[in-house]
Amino acid sequence: MGRLVMYSSVSVDGFIADVNDQPGPLFDWLLSGDVPLDESGALKVSQTSYDYTRPYWNEIGATIVGRHVFDMTDGWDGKPPGGVDHVVVVTHRPKPDGWDPEAPFHFVDGVEAAVTKAQELAGDRLVEVAAGDVGGQVFAAGLIDEVRMDVAPVVFGSGKRYFGSVHAQHVLEDPDLVLQGNRVLHLRYQVRRRPI
């Protein structure tokens, strides 16, 4: 099974969106360079960010998101972001009326079902779990293998937390990757497993 990676761009003080549910300057780094990150050419990053991000995106077989993110993005018009093959949406509601049944989106009830479905779809490739409430639930359940953060130089003060509503202490290993790009610090941590 593929590894589970919790990921998002995040403010220095740990938020993935402000109090109005907006990312503000969290994604400025995706427009701060001269190296196209994808075929569209809309996203341009530094060479350092490209060398880190592009191979990571290529490893992702499925992404898990919550219904809130799905609704905010209008389901990316049925095309998974970043060239990901499948998106698994955690929701207690039915898929939207008129949703294209051929779109590679899978609607499931609960994070355990989402992880099972995403790992089935991804095979040996990575499963990316969007940070926030759903990511925090998967993290708290002890299912996340790795935490990746693209830390933007902004302080929100309050908003949507990277780890959602996790209320217990969890220890990560020392960062095994720290890279400075334009307007971003890329961090990667392995999750320290509790002894059984």
Side-chain angles (χ1 to χ4, degrees):
M1 290 291 176
R3 294 171 47 81
L4 269 74
V5 179
M6 188 170 173
Y7 168 76
S8 185
S9 288
V10 61
S11 67
V12 171
D13 55 344
F15 297 99
I16 58 172
D18 65 19
V19 292
N20 298 313
D21 215 10
Q22 299 300 309
L26 291 181
F27 298 109
D28 286 358
W29 69 274
L30 290 166
L31 305 171
S32 69
D34 54 6
V35 181
L37 191 53
D38 60 14
E39 306 79 41
S40 74
L43 304 177
K44 292 186 177 180
V45 297
S46 68
Q47 187 66 54
T48 299
S49 290
Y50 177 87
D51 291 344
Y52 169 74
T53 304
R54 187 71 254 171
Y56 168 64
W57 283 10
N58 291 343
E59 289 181 61
I60 300 168
T63 296
I64 298 173
V65 301
R67 181 63 181 258
H68 181 69
V69 169
F70 174 84
D71 288 343
M72 282 184 59
T73 62
D74 292 323
W76 296 280
D77 294 325
K79 297 177 189 106
V84 172
D85 293 335
H86 300 278
V87 175
V88 178
V89 182
V90 179
T91 183
H92 302 297
R93 296 180 280 143
K95 60 181 93 171
D97 290 337
W99 183 253
D100 179 359
E102 299 300 314
F105 286 72
H106 311 269
F107 298 83
V108 298
D109 185 8
V111 295
E112 289 83 5
V115 168
T116 299
K117 183 66 174 176
Q119 286 187 316
E120 171 191 313
L121 294 165
D124 292 336
R125 296 175 70 199
L126 291 178
V127 173
E128 180 181 65
V129 182
D133 288 332
V134 167
Q137 291 173 46
V138 178
F139 183 80
L143 302 174
I144 296 293
D145 298 302
E146 183 177 289
V147 171
R148 288 183 180 229
M149 299 176 161
D150 295 327
V151 182
V154 60
V155 174
F156 282 158
S158 60
K160 290 188 72 171
R161 294 176 11 192
Y162 179 93
F163 288 99
S165 58
V166 170
H167 295 293
Q169 184 181 77
H170 296 268
V171 179
L172 305 176
E173 297 295 344
D174 288 341
D176 60 5
L177 184 133
V178 178
L179 289 173
Q180 181 180 344
N182 294 350
R183 306 296 301 156
V184 67
L185 182 64
H186 303 289
L187 300 175
R188 184 177 69 198
Y189 300 89
Q190 302 308 307
V191 176
R192 182 177 292 178
R193 298 294 182 200
R194 295 184 184 135
I196 297 176

